[in-house]
Amino acid sequence: MPMIEMAQSTDVNTIRDLSIATFAETFASLNTEEDMEQYNERHFSTDELQREIDNPDSTFMVAKVDGVPAGYMKVNVGDAQTEEMLGNRMEVQRLYILRQYKRNGLGTRFMHTAFDMARAQGKSVIWLGVWEHNDAAIAFYKRMGFVQFGSHDFVLGNDRQTDLLMEAAVDRLV
Ligand SMILES: CC(C)(COP(=O)(O)OP(=O)(O)OC[C@H]1O[C@@H](n2cnc3c(N)ncnc32)[C@H](O)[C@@H]1OP(=O)(O)O)[C@@H](O)C(=O)NCCC(=O)NCCS
């Protein structure tokens, strides 16, 4: 039975391994090796991830299948959000399932956990950014009730890309 656990400060290596592996699975075939390396160094260094895990406005969660890490999610509130947003919002900044565990409902379980957290904290909207060409993730988010409300730049190494901004009302998902 899959479990979703709140990551602790000591889980930085698990988060780092999952971050690098899932990001490569999702984007390596579409980007240069140099841009991918630059992204890993900048965003997935142990120091950077430790700082993010220890930020009280960010929460990392890990899904485990038979005790083995299978994916993770990072949510942000307050100033940890990657865009200036109102205080009643929560951002799902990262949601990544390892390839072999996809399409087994883990993404849905993570999303329900995010909605539960948002509701418990009195947030009314969940938002996220998703690469405009990431059709699978966009289909998943639409299925979860998200609709587009804007776009923003996302820099991968030296490449500036466009993310769609999507949002869903917290009371909408049941
Ligand atoms: C997007 C992602 C998080 C979805 O997680 P998941 O555990 O595979 O999703 P679920 O099994 O909960 O899927 C729920 C529903 O979403 C939709 N969905 C999920 N993946 C889909 C895909 N590849 N294509 C179309 N619809 C999809 C389906 O309706 C699915 O229901 P079904 O399997 O009964 O048809 C996962 O595919 C992933 O980690 N992708 C790579 C990383 C990524 O792109 N993350 C988002 C970055 S913004």
Side-chain angles (χ1 to χ4, degrees):
M1 179 65 183
M3 303 270 293
I4 290 181
E5 297 174 359
M6 298 290 156
Q8 310 296 318
S9 194
T10 48
D11 291 325
V12 65
N13 287 327
T14 302
I15 297 290
R16 184 165 187 270
D17 290 348
L18 281 170
S19 300
I20 291 173
T22 54
F23 202 74
E25 282 183 354
T26 311
F27 297 117
S29 62
L30 303 161
N31 294 284
T32 66
E33 209 169 301
E34 194 192 342
D35 282 347
M36 291 296 290
E37 264 167 33
Q38 231 184 77
Y39 193 89
N40 282 345
E41 273 165 31
R42 180 141 180 228
H43 297 279
F44 300 148
S45 70
T46 309
D47 283 354
E48 173 58 21
L49 288 173
Q50 189 72 67
R51 203 179 56 75
E52 292 180 17
I53 294 170
D54 292 341
N55 182 342
D57 281 343
S58 295
T59 305
F60 284 78
M61 289 165 232
V62 175
K64 290 190 177 165
V65 175
D66 299 329
V68 178
Y72 78 104
M73 176 171 72
K74 180 188 179 198
V75 302
N76 300 319
V77 295
D79 292 341
Q81 296 177 94
T82 60
E83 293 275 323
E84 211 171 301
M85 288 282 169
L86 296 174
N88 67 340
R89 291 181 160 240
M90 173 181 276
E91 174 185 19
V92 173
Q93 188 191 351
R94 296 185 191 138
L95 173 55
Y96 287 88
I97 313 296
L98 282 170
R99 185 176 289 149
Q100 71 196 96
Y101 298 106
K102 279 186 195 172
R103 226 53 197 262
N104 281 310
L106 285 180
T108 304
R109 291 231 357 229
F110 267 130
M111 219 24 124
H112 282 255
T113 307
F115 275 78
D116 286 346
M117 257 183 87
R119 203 173 290 115
Q121 293 182 23
K123 309 291 181 196
S124 47
V125 175
I126 294 201
W127 72 276
L128 53 86
V130 55
W131 185 40
E132 60 179 338
H133 300 301
N134 190 346
D135 295 334
I138 292 170
F140 168 76
Y141 293 134
K142 282 187 176 160
R143 160 97 181 243
M144 293 288 121
F146 283 80
V147 292
Q148 189 185 347
F149 72 99
S151 60
H152 71 178
D153 283 353
F154 174 85
V155 180
L156 204 158
N158 294 309
D159 193 13
R160 189 169 292 276
Q161 309 182 344
T162 302
D163 270 6
L164 308 184
L165 297 178
M166 301 183 84
E167 65 184 357
V170 165
D171 58 15
R172 206 156 124 184
L173 192 90
V174 281

